[in-house]
Amino acid sequence: MTKTEVLNYKQHYSDSKFWSKLGKVAIHLGRKVCYYALILYYVLKSPDVSLGNKAIIMGALGYLILPLDLIPDAIPIAGLTDDAAALKLAYETVKASVTPEIEQKVNDKLSQWF
């Protein structure tokens, strides 16, 4: 998956859909993939991130939200691997924007869930 492909899914992103989807699939995604999703969510909320990077984040999170993507989420395990790849791609793009405060928020949330 490329950044251009990820951008095609940004219209599927919303905060409420993100939290609903992550709440439903967190245990299946696992701690590491949830870490990437949460990092992206909190970086998206940062005023210091460029609009281009925010669009990439919204695309990756929109891809996660969309149930029928390249590999439908209903297929056990395999259905979420393409979502994880999109999250990882977006994370690699914006990782320089991750602050200690963002990491703390993510670790606090992961501690609640796992």
Side-chain angles (χ1 to χ4, degrees):
M1 176 165 287
T2 67
K3 289 180 191 177
T4 303
E5 291 170 325
V6 167
L7 286 170
N8 291 330
Y9 295 91
K10 68 182 179 190
Q11 72 272 12
H12 299 287
Y13 173 80
S14 76
D15 284 2
S16 61
K17 289 179 185 176
F18 169 75
W19 287 112
S20 176
K21 177 71 176 224
L22 201 58
K24 291 176 188 172
V25 300
I27 196 72
H28 302 292
L29 286 174
R31 187 178 179 98
K32 186 173 184 178
V33 177
C34 284
Y35 171 84
Y36 290 125
L38 290 168
I39 285 283
L40 292 173
Y41 174 80
Y42 289 116
V43 169
L44 178 63
K45 300 303 174 187
S46 172
D48 300 326
V49 177
S50 72
L51 290 178
N53 281 349
K54 286 185 179 202
I56 290 169
I57 292 170
M58 290 173 68
L61 296 179
Y63 193 81
L64 173 67
I65 291 166
L66 195 63
L68 297 174
D69 45 40
L70 187 60
I71 303 173
D73 294 347
I75 299 172
I77 302 171
L80 296 171
T81 56
D82 59 327
D83 297 24
L87 296 174
K88 179 74 167 146
L89 174 73
Y91 172 78
E92 290 298 323
T93 301
V94 303
K95 67 183 173 184
S97 299
V98 178
T99 64
E101 293 81 16
I102 289 173
E103 286 184 339
Q104 185 61 52
K105 287 179 185 179
V106 169
N107 287 327
D108 290 347
K109 183 58 81 176
L110 289 174
S111 293
Q112 291 175 358
W113 288 348
F114 293 95

